[in-house]
Amino acid sequence: MVKILKTLANHSPLRKRKSKSKATTIRLLQWNILADGLGEDGFLATEFSPIFESADAKSKSYSANEFMKLVREAKLADTASGMASKFSELKGAEKKLKKLKESAEGYSELRESARKLKEETDRSELVKLKKQFQNSPQLQKVDGEILSWSKRSERIKQIVLQARPDVITFQEMDHVQQFLQDKDFSAKYTCMV
């Protein structure tokens, strides 16, 4: 890491910042972006309490702690039943399908395998819980106001541009191209993967 930073300091147009010791400093911003889909397990629902199953005034409500207990129990049950590994298999199969053309050898078999995995994972405790709360106004608010990529990306961009770091490291970044194609962002930063 030190070698990379020295190389950056010597070969890039970093703004010179002087401290009292007259040393050049490099401002580093590190951010875990939260990959798409990883926030859909309810953990952000604790921002809203109580959490209702639906918009119906008679629907059951849960405190944030009660709701998170339901989520933890569903995850534990899915892990114990092997369902968690089936989700990983499904994600891998879907990723491969996106890369393959329908005419490619093995495409039909992979599509059938993904379909069967989807049927199995639809019976998971976490999926059942998601269906139970699919009309929850509080969880819809989480999706719309917190997890929505269009809103998150604008907030991230504003914070980064305001902080003016020399080096940025993003983790779980699914939208690298969007940042590189943004005129304000790409005028100041480039990407090294």
Side-chain angles (χ1 to χ4, degrees):
M1 184 66 169
V2 172
K3 184 177 181 180
I4 292 171
L5 292 177
K6 284 181 180 176
T7 301
L8 284 170
N10 293 330
H11 296 93
S12 66
L14 296 174
R15 292 178 304 279
K16 298 278 185 187
R17 293 187 180 91
K18 301 288 183 180
S19 67
K20 288 182 181 179
S21 67
K22 307 272 188 215
T24 300
T25 59
I26 297 174
R27 292 169 42 120
L28 175 70
L29 182 139
Q30 190 281 330
W31 197 324
N32 186 326
I33 297 298
L34 184 64
D36 289 345
L38 293 181
E40 296 174 356
D41 60 2
F43 78 95
L44 288 172
T46 57
E47 298 291 317
F48 308 100
S49 192
I51 299 162
F52 292 90
E53 287 181 349
S54 73
D56 181 356
K58 296 178 183 177
S59 72
K60 188 170 181 182
S61 69
Y62 300 81
S63 71
N65 286 337
E66 290 169 329
F67 177 76
M68 289 313 301
K69 183 178 180 190
L70 292 174
V71 171
R72 279 191 301 277
E73 288 170 351
K75 285 181 171 184
L76 288 171
D78 283 352
T79 300
S81 70
M83 195 62 71
S85 63
K86 296 215 182 283
F87 275 111
S88 293
E89 288 177 50
L90 176 61
K91 188 175 182 178
E94 288 173 337
K95 208 174 197 178
K96 287 179 186 175
L97 278 173
K98 283 182 180 179
K99 292 180 181 178
L100 285 179
K101 293 184 179 181
E102 286 188 40
S103 59
E105 185 178 328
Y107 181 88
S108 297
E109 295 83 5
L110 186 58
R111 185 180 65 206
E112 180 60 20
S113 173
R115 186 192 64 74
K116 287 179 181 177
L117 283 166
K118 178 78 172 109
E119 280 180 9
E120 286 183 71
T121 57
D122 280 348
R123 295 188 298 268
S124 86
E125 294 302 315
L126 200 54
V127 169
K128 288 178 192 173
L129 188 63
K130 193 170 185 174
K131 287 178 184 173
Q132 179 183 344
F133 285 89
Q134 71 185 0
N135 296 315
S136 166
Q138 292 75 29
L139 297 187
Q140 289 172 353
K141 198 170 183 178
V142 167
D143 286 342
E145 295 179 17
I146 298 174
L147 294 178
S148 162
W149 176 249
S150 61
K151 291 190 180 194
R152 281 196 303 144
S153 65
E154 278 305 308
R155 284 194 300 262
I156 291 166
K157 182 180 139 185
Q158 287 173 351
I159 291 168
V160 169
L161 292 175
Q162 185 177 2
R164 299 176 3 156
D166 297 310
V167 178
I168 304 168
T169 64
F170 287 136
Q171 290 176 272
E172 299 183 34
M173 178 58 143
D174 294 334
H175 301 275
V176 173
Q177 289 303 316
Q178 181 180 346
F179 278 92
L180 293 176
Q181 292 168 354
D182 180 277
K183 65 179 177 68
D184 297 328
F185 202 83
S186 63
K188 297 178 181 179
Y189 301 102
T190 188
C191 176
M192 297 170 63
V193 180

